[in-house]
Amino acid sequence: MAVEAEKTKYRSYLSEEEEVKNIHWRYGPPNYDLVDKLFEEGRTKIWPAGSLEDKVQRLVKTWEMEVFHKANPAEYKTIDTKNYTVSVNGRKPLTIEEKGKLGGGYNVLLQTALPEEFRAYDPAKETMESALKVFRTTFPRGFALEILHVYSGPPVIVYKFRHWGFMEGPFKGNSPTGEMVEFFGMAIFELNENSKVVKVQFFYDPGQLLEALLKGKPSDEYKIKAPSTCPFLLQQSNLDK
């Protein structure tokens, strides 16, 4: 398991010294206050400190923080960047370079083979920045993550997860509902001999998320685009990154 030096409450490698002096952040150091509060209020599992589940949850949260917020992959501490791949629902594994070309983050997780006219969210039309704005607008308090069950420990970690948040902002022209939105999935993290992640596989139904986001009535009021730059918004964590 990855070294747990310089840790905050739920993530490693995010101490004040790391934030201020050493890391090239995409939009400045991420702020997890809101999503951590959401996590603590809505989680269904509280794992004992130091347990396998606690360690896996910390690894996954730290991994998300790095891939979403660190601008330079050379500064990733949870990942073997030379050998790393990520795939979703059995699709072709992507290297870090390929992931970057797709816009990373949400665009990788929401890949789809649907015809363009049926896409509630179209990764081909979004950049890393625009995707972050979309989901941080939809979930102003964040989109929390918890580990529900760990089926096997390192070097091949298999776990079940839950993501949830409250749709208190619009999504792609659909009005906020205020309702909780959640989805469940499975993931496999493979670690090398140095406890670095070399392979990630996610298995989940994106429709479980997107269907809930389309419950709000379409409204012209919410089709107005957000400003092109919004540093505060971009600094906030959303997918428990």
Side-chain angles (χ1 to χ4, degrees):
M1 197 71 69
V3 177
E4 296 186 13
E6 305 154 341
K7 53 183 177 178
T8 57
K9 195 170 185 180
Y10 300 113
R11 297 161 193 85
S12 300
Y13 310 125
L14 199 55
S15 70
E16 183 176 350
E17 183 174 348
E18 282 280 309
E19 290 181 304
V20 175
K21 295 182 179 180
N22 300 325
I23 301 301
H24 295 86
W25 301 103
R26 292 184 188 279
Y27 316 108
N31 185 317
Y32 287 98
D33 292 347
L34 289 177
V35 77
D36 282 351
K37 185 173 187 292
L38 179 68
F39 167 72
E40 292 171 349
E41 293 173 345
R43 59 185 167 178
T44 62
K45 305 285 186 180
I46 300 179
W47 301 114
S51 66
L52 175 61
E53 293 84 359
D54 176 63
K55 290 179 179 179
V56 169
Q57 188 162 262
R58 174 174 289 277
L59 171 64
V60 176
K61 286 177 180 284
T62 304
W63 168 86
E64 285 194 339
M65 175 272 292
E66 292 198 303
V67 298
F68 276 85
H69 287 283
K70 289 186 176 181
N72 183 1
E75 295 175 341
Y76 293 171
K77 294 187 176 182
T78 59
I79 295 172
D80 176 352
T81 55
K82 292 183 179 180
N83 299 299
Y84 175 81
T85 63
V86 58
S87 66
V88 178
N89 293 332
R91 287 178 170 271
K92 174 184 176 293
L94 302 172
T95 65
I96 285 180
E97 292 74 17
E98 291 170 330
K99 179 177 72 73
K101 289 178 182 178
L102 287 178
Y106 298 102
N107 290 341
V108 170
L109 295 172
L110 292 171
Q111 294 174 80
T112 178
L114 285 173
E116 184 175 330
E117 62 268 26
F118 296 121
R119 297 179 182 182
Y121 175 87
D122 190 350
K125 295 182 178 179
E126 303 290 346
T127 64
M128 168 78 77
E129 291 76 13
S130 68
L132 287 171
K133 289 179 185 177
V134 166
F135 285 96
R136 286 169 181 170
T137 298
T138 302
F139 299 111
R141 288 191 282 158
F143 203 48
L145 163 76
E146 70 170 334
I147 302 303
L148 297 176
H149 189 82
V150 178
Y151 298 93
S152 67
V156 180
I157 302 170
V158 181
Y159 65 90
K160 182 179 182 180
F161 65 86
R162 169 183 175 241
H163 268 298
W164 77 98
F166 289 85
M167 189 185 176
E168 295 164 331
F171 175 78
K172 291 291 186 178
N174 293 84
S175 305
T177 65
E179 296 179 358
M180 185 174 73
V181 175
E182 65 180 346
F183 72 89
F184 301 83
M186 300 282 295
I188 303 172
F189 273 43
E190 294 187 24
L191 311 185
N192 65 13
E193 63 277 8
N194 297 314
S195 294
K196 303 291 186 181
V197 181
V198 293
K199 185 176 182 179
V200 171
Q201 300 176 75
F202 284 108
F203 301 93
Y204 78 105
D205 179 7
Q208 193 176 23
L209 167 64
L210 295 173
E211 182 180 5
L213 297 180
L214 297 178
K215 283 185 177 180
K217 294 181 179 180
S219 171
D220 290 337
E221 176 185 356
Y222 296 115
K223 291 182 181 179
I224 300 174
K225 293 183 178 180
S228 58
T229 56
C230 184
F232 175 77
L233 181 64
L234 291 171
Q235 280 183 287
Q236 306 309 299
S237 173
N238 189 48
L239 191 61
D240 207 322
K241 299 173 288 299

